[in-house]
């Protein structure tokens, strides 16, 4: 059963503790949530590539081990690439944290029932994949602990937030992938050199 | 112990590894293929190269893009059947104009004994081209190194997805008669 945890205030409260963390959001609602919480160059928005938010965050975390990387994604999105949890566990990046916004539905496409509405438990899958630090959040008074969990301890770690199935107002960020990528990359690396080599 | 293949594989693997080092390609994401054994072993044995073993090849597209966003160069190495798994994922480098360098060991073409490899072997290049990947076929073992270098430079200087398709003819008789 899902109680009244709402995605937008939850994401905003968690990101209030982000410091200089880099955030990769899964397609659809998590990307809108990230943008609604405040546009920043350290945000990587995605509008496609379903199942690739976590692998992308992993590659990033391995490339910049000195920066905290947070992947915020949906239950449907992460289930499409669920094997990535095993890849993450094996690479064991200490700077990577994952927040799954679990509304037990494919919210974006018409609120169809998702697999986590049944017996499937993403935190348990993560533990089985070898990510030993997991947490499941169901109530508003756990959100401060959630932020601590995601930003203040050694990764890799995964939290599932069981959220209400809601329809939020549109909050659509930049859509052009090259623009999003260039801005994000420059926020990490500074202005481009004449050659990438 | 590193298991050595025929001398041609030793030579082209050394060539590719050298070109990787020359470009500071320091991460290899892979679901292995028999033809890539020597190269992958060299990567495993090298402290400066991180091997990211995947569950499925499209993860490698994400890993390579993420690494590039953080300023690191990487390679996705796989069998031609893995290309079929990657098609929607390859929309991501196309949209982001991100480099995505792939090394593909072809199956299902030159003297293939396993009919299950043949459909995807035939679809590999058309599928990659349909999603905008620049493909470089190479059949001669002594040209694999330079072809890899050309594909790498196009990827990292131009922001393209590129793929080197190592022909089964170059990978040689190694796989014949084996059920992999
Ligand atoms: C490969 C692929 N299949 C299907 C879709 C359509 N699609 C877009 S968002 C989405 C649902 C995502 O669900 P979830 O991650 O749980 O996010 P929610 O909207 O519920 O928060 C789907 C199925 C897609 N974009 N790509």
């Amino acid at each position: 059963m899902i109680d009244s945890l709402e995605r937008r205030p939850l994401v905003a409260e968690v990101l209030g503790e982000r410091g200089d963390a880099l955030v990769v959001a899964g397609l659809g609602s998590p990307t809108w949530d990230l943008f609604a919480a405040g546009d920043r160059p350290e945000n990587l928005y995605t509008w496609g590539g379903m199942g690739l938010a976590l692998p992308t965050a992993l590659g990033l975390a391995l490339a910049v081990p000195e920066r905290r990387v947070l992947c915020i994604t949906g239950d449907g999105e992460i289930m499409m690439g669920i094997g990535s949890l095993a890849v993450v566990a094996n690479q064991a990046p200490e700077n990577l944290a994952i927040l799954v916004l679990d509304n037990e539905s494919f919210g974006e496409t018409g609120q169809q029932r998702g697999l986590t509405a049944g017996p499937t438990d993403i935190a348990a899958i993560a533990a089985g994949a070898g990510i030993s630090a997991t947490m499941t959040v169901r109530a508003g008074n756990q959100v401060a602990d959630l932020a601590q969990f995601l930003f203040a301890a050694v990764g890799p770690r995964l939290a599932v937030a069981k959220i209400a199935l809601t329809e939020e107002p549109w909050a659509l960020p930049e859509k052009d992938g090259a623009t999003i990528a260039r801005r994000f990359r420059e926020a990490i690396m500074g202005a481009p050199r004449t050659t990438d080599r | 112990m590193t298991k050595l293949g025929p001398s041609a594989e030793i030579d082209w693997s050394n060539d590719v590894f050298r070109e990787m080092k020359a470009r500071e390609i320091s991460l290899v994401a892979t679901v292995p293929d028999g033809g890539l054994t020597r190269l992958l072993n060299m990567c495993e044995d090298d402290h400066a190269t991180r091997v990211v073993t995947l569950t499925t090849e499209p993860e490698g597209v994400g890993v390579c893009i993420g690494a590039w966003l953080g300023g690191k160069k990487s390679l996705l190495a796989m069998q031609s059947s893995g290309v079929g798994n990657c098609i929607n994922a390859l929309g991501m480098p196309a949209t982001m104009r991100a480099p995505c360098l792939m090394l593909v060991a072809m199956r299902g073409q030159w003297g293939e004994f396993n009919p299950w490899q043949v459909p995807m072997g035939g679809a590999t290049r058309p599928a990659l081209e349909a999603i905008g990947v620049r493909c470089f076929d190479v059949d001669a073992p002594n040209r694999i190194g330079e072809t890899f270098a050309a594909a790498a430079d196009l990827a990292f200087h131009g922001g393209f997805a590129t793929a080197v398709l190592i022909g089964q003819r170059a990978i040689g008789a190694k796989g014949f008669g084996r059920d992999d």
Side-chain angles (χ1 to χ4, degrees):
Chain A
M1 260 307 281
I2 292 178
D3 82 347
S4 58
L5 261 187
E6 299 237 2
R7 58 191 309 148
R8 289 272 166 93
L10 175 127
V11 169
E13 187 176 341
V14 165
L15 290 178
E17 304 298 318
R18 69 184 277 177
D20 73 346
L22 304 165
V23 182
V24 176
L27 84 172
S29 319
T31 278
W32 322 149
D33 295 339
L34 176 61
F35 180 66
D39 186 33
R40 287 178 50 165
E42 296 86 1
N43 292 350
L44 190 80
Y45 307 117
T46 63
W47 291 66
M50 187 167 171
L52 293 191
L54 181 54
T56 303
L58 171 63
L60 178 65
L62 295 176
V64 284
E66 69 282 3
R67 295 282 288 268
R68 175 69 46 156
V69 174
L70 175 65
C71 176
I72 303 183
T73 193
D75 51 287
E77 201 280 337
I78 201 167
M79 288 299 296
M80 187 170 280
I82 199 70
S84 306
L85 292 171
V87 183
V88 165
N90 276 274
Q91 294 297 323
E94 295 189 350
N95 56 332
L96 179 62
I98 306 153
L99 172 59
V100 181
L101 300 172
D102 185 359
N103 58 9
E104 304 185 349
S105 314
F106 299 93
E108 196 60 32
T109 47
Q111 307 198 337
Q112 298 88 348
R113 180 185 154 95
L115 297 165
T116 57
T120 301
D121 177 343
I122 291 169
I125 296 173
I131 298 176
S132 53
T134 66
M135 177 182 195
T136 299
V137 175
R138 295 170 189 279
N141 63 8
Q142 293 177 287
V143 177
D145 288 347
L146 172 64
Q148 284 288 112
F149 176 90
L150 294 172
F151 293 122
V154 170
R157 38 189 49 236
L158 176 141
V160 173
K162 288 284 188 180
I163 57 168
L165 180 55
T166 51
E167 262 191 78
E168 306 294 337
W170 290 111
L172 304 181
E174 174 63 51
K175 184 156 54 174
D176 178 60
T179 304
I180 295 164
R182 189 184 311 113
R183 185 179 81 146
F184 186 76
R185 198 163 182 260
E186 286 180 19
I188 300 167
M189 312 216 342
R193 291 163 287 163
T194 48
T195 166
D196 253 346
R197 208 161 144 174
Chain B
M1 264 307 284
T2 301
K3 207 172 134 210
L4 299 185
S7 67
E9 185 191 352
I10 298 176
D11 289 344
W12 73 251
S13 301
N14 286 340
D15 293 345
V16 169
F17 192 70
R18 190 179 57 244
E19 301 297 348
M20 285 174 62
K21 289 304 223 179
R23 287 161 183 76
E24 296 176 343
I25 294 170
S26 59
L27 188 156
V28 180
T30 191
V31 176
D33 173 74
L36 301 171
T37 304
R38 164 83 188 170
L39 177 65
L40 292 174
N41 286 342
M42 291 173 77
C43 294
E44 287 278 8
D45 291 347
D46 177 41
H47 291 304
T49 304
R50 181 183 279 265
V51 176
V52 177
T53 302
L54 308 166
T55 64
T56 179
E57 293 84 355
E59 293 167 342
V61 177
V63 168
C64 289
I65 290 174
W68 169 75
L69 288 167
K72 279 216 157 59
K73 296 198 192 82
S74 54
L75 166 68
L76 171 55
M78 62 187 150
Q79 182 180 95
S80 48
S81 52
V83 167
N85 291 349
C86 287
I87 295 308
N88 182 55
L90 287 167
M92 213 164 140
T95 309
M96 291 180 142
R97 298 248 309 274
C100 184
L101 174 63
M102 290 169 272
L103 184 65
V104 179
M106 289 302 302
R107 293 288 307 267
Q109 35 170 236
W110 187 267
E112 177 65 60
F113 70 94
N114 178 354
W116 298 64
Q117 290 282 0
V118 176
M120 191 61 228
T124 298
R125 184 168 179 140
L128 284 169
E129 287 182 339
I131 194 81
V133 177
R134 271 68 183 175
C135 295
F136 296 77
D137 279 312
V138 57
D139 252 353
N142 64 354
R143 297 237 166 86
I144 295 175
E146 66 181 40
T147 307
F148 178 83
D153 288 344
L154 180 59
F156 294 114
H157 292 298
F160 289 102
T162 65
V164 177
L165 310 181
I166 305 177
Q168 199 165 7
R169 192 176 189 180
I171 294 167
K174 191 163 176 267
F176 291 12
R178 267 183 16 195
D179 257 333
D180 56 359

